[in-house]
Amino acid sequence: MSTPTDRSTVDAADTVEAVDAATDRSAHSLRGPAAEPRRRSGGGRGFPSALRGGGRVAGLDGLRTVAVVLVIVYHVKPDLVPGGSVGVDVFFTLSGFVITRLLIAEYARTGGIGLRSFYKRRWLRLGPAMLTMCAVTALLSLALPLPLFDGAWKAAVLAAVSVVNLVRAGESGPYSDLTAPLSHTWSLGVEEQFYLAWPIVLLLLLRHTTARRALAWVAALCVLPLLWRLALWDPSAAHRIYNGPDTRADQLLIGALLAVVLARLRADDPRLALLGRWAGRLCWPAFALLGLVAWQIPIADTSAWNPVWYTAGFMIAALLTATVVATLDLLPGSWPSRLLSLTALSWIGRNLSYGMYLWHYPVIRLLSDLGVEDDQLLPMGMVATVAAALASYALVERPLMRRG
């Protein structure tokens, strides 16, 4: 009987609601005296294109759908896509881009970043749905004699406080059974820890240096995790590197760097046109390389690829993803944008991708425990996952986001 393997997954959580783009004029915004002259000077406080567009990018939502489907297939049929965990790399970079774009847009409007409001929005978007999934998993563990859910309540507690990645990072040998029932939530831990730290770091950069220097600092920060992985690399450190928030930070920061670059360039700046032109040319090769990784490179298994992937590979995947993201953001009329902006793809990515991510792993484990045959596990798991995601969206996520 096939069971979902203990492999990495994707954080499809970062679906940005309209409230995220609203102007935050909360009394809790951190604005220093230096913000006043910037507010009067206009020009987006050094980010003239921070408010460019202002709406959702449908192609980015479609990219979320592709990534989360890839991961579901990977967890059920790893032989089909042995490198399917590259979906997590895609989502880290996408999340860094979207979050930073929102933060810079708020700074350009108001001269500050409302940290308390930001954390509240992130909690409303991510927390209740996560806690619901954890509670259901814990109840299954305690109420039913299901082998794959034995002791799952412990994993549910760790997932609820977003520390699964830290536990896994500390395991030098094979992953233990402690986090196995909800091991997919490791990537949520990485992103939550990034969300806690990055707005503060970005705000400090924006308040205490110029926009140009802030761009240089973000670029420098992107390099540090690569150097850190090179220093750490050893086969026994694979779990530490794969799950650590510090060793995966460059993937999120490269997305952040792209957001800063696009906000810095005016609409009539020839460098912006050049960037869009080259992104468009390189988009299909970037897609092809990411697909080749998913098809051929067993990222989460011990192989000859490990020394390369666990050091430079993370950054390479992030740069390929950033190329795709730049194309989708700058060239809405391009073929990649049109394809990923199809109504069904963009709707699922916008509304269901987070729920699909949360529920697919426990749903597949449940179906496997109930005796579903291997050849039926993928289609039945996909249907059940979408049903669970729809319920999560309708009953938990959407009502709370409206209240928020």
Side-chain angles (χ1 to χ4, degrees), residues 354-373:
Y354 180 44
M356 290 173 66
Y357 156 71
L358 281 179
W359 286 99
H360 83 275
Y361 206 76
V363 161
I364 292 167
R365 293 179 74 94
L366 178 61
L367 292 176
S368 181
D369 259 349
L370 295 176
V372 174
E373 298 295 333

Side-chain angles (χ1 to χ4, degrees), residues 123 126-143 149 151-164 178-179 181-186 188-189 192 354-355 357-363 388 392 396-397:
W123 161 249
L126 307 177
M130 165 68 91
L131 292 180
T132 300
M133 186 274 296
C134 290
V136 171
T137 301
L139 289 174
L140 285 173
S141 170
L142 297 173
F149 282 85
W153 66 269
K154 298 176 184 178
V157 171
L158 295 174
V161 294
S162 299
V163 296
V164 167
L178 179 60
T179 62
L182 295 178
S183 60
H184 68 303
T185 60
W186 76 269
L188 266 179
E192 290 289 354
Y354 180 44
Y357 156 71
L358 281 179
W359 286 99
H360 83 275
Y361 206 76
V363 161
S392 176
V396 179
E397 299 168 50

Side-chain angles (χ1 to χ4, degrees), residues 93 258 278-284 286 318-328:
T93 303
L258 176 62
W278 276 103
R281 290 172 179 173
L282 297 175
C283 184
W284 285 120
L319 292 172
L320 293 174
T321 303
T323 301
V324 175
V325 171
T327 302
L328 299 177

Side-chain angles (χ1 to χ4, degrees), residues 9-265:
T9 189
V10 62
D11 178 11
D14 198 27
T15 304
V16 186
E17 304 296 334
V19 67
D20 283 330
T23 301
D24 181 11
R25 305 187 185 279
S26 166
H28 303 294
S29 288
L30 297 187
R31 302 186 180 95
E36 291 303 323
R38 287 189 183 122
R39 186 178 296 113
R40 290 192 296 268
S41 66
R45 298 172 179 83
F47 299 99
S49 293
L51 303 179
R52 179 179 56 83
R56 297 189 66 90
V57 178
L60 297 182
D61 291 326
L63 184 60
R64 289 185 174 94
T65 302
V66 173
V68 75
V69 170
L70 174 64
V71 170
I72 294 174
V73 175
Y74 171 63
H75 278 152
V76 182
K77 298 288 186 182
D79 291 340
L80 293 179
V81 281
S85 62
V86 73
V88 75
D89 306 271
V90 171
F91 262 95
F92 281 163
T93 303
L94 180 56
S95 296
F97 172 76
V98 172
I99 287 298
T100 304
R101 182 175 62 176
L102 292 171
L103 293 173
I104 291 179
E106 180 182 348
Y107 179 80
R109 286 192 303 268
T110 67
I113 294 174
L115 295 179
R116 183 174 296 185
S117 296
F118 172 82
Y119 293 136
K120 178 183 177 181
R121 291 195 302 267
R122 287 296 90 198
W123 161 249
L124 286 174
R125 181 66 189 98
L126 307 177
M130 165 68 91
L131 292 180
T132 300
M133 186 274 296
C134 290
V136 171
T137 301
L139 289 174
L140 285 173
S141 170
L142 297 173
L144 300 176
L146 300 172
L148 293 179
F149 282 85
D150 186 26
W153 66 269
K154 298 176 184 178
V157 171
L158 295 174
V161 294
S162 299
V163 296
V164 167
N165 67 308
L166 300 181
V167 174
R168 285 162 58 95
E171 298 177 334
S172 58
Y175 288 126
S176 70
D177 293 335
L178 179 60
T179 62
L182 295 178
S183 60
H184 68 303
T185 60
W186 76 269
S187 60
L188 266 179
V190 171
E191 291 217 16
E192 290 289 354
Q193 291 143 24
F194 177 79
Y195 292 158
L196 285 173
W198 178 237
I200 298 173
V201 173
L202 182 62
L203 180 60
L204 290 174
L205 288 175
L206 295 176
R207 289 179 62 184
H208 296 289
T209 188
T210 64
R212 178 178 297 179
R213 290 180 179 176
L215 173 60
W217 272 107
V218 176
L221 289 174
C222 290
V223 180
L224 294 181
L226 171 61
L227 300 178
W228 183 224
R229 288 195 300 269
L230 289 169
L232 286 176
W233 170 248
D234 182 87
S236 63
H239 294 341
R240 168 68 180 86
I241 292 173
Y242 199 83
N243 294 274
D246 52 344
T247 48
R248 301 304 290 261
D250 55 330
Q251 297 191 307
L252 291 132
L253 288 170
I254 285 173
L257 178 62
L258 176 62
V260 175
V261 169
L262 295 184
R264 282 280 296 143
L265 298 177

Side-chain angles (χ1 to χ4, degrees), residues 72 363 367 377-390:
I72 294 174
V363 161
L367 292 176
L377 192 58
L378 180 58
M380 291 185 64
M382 191 69 73
V383 171
T385 294
V386 171
L390 282 168

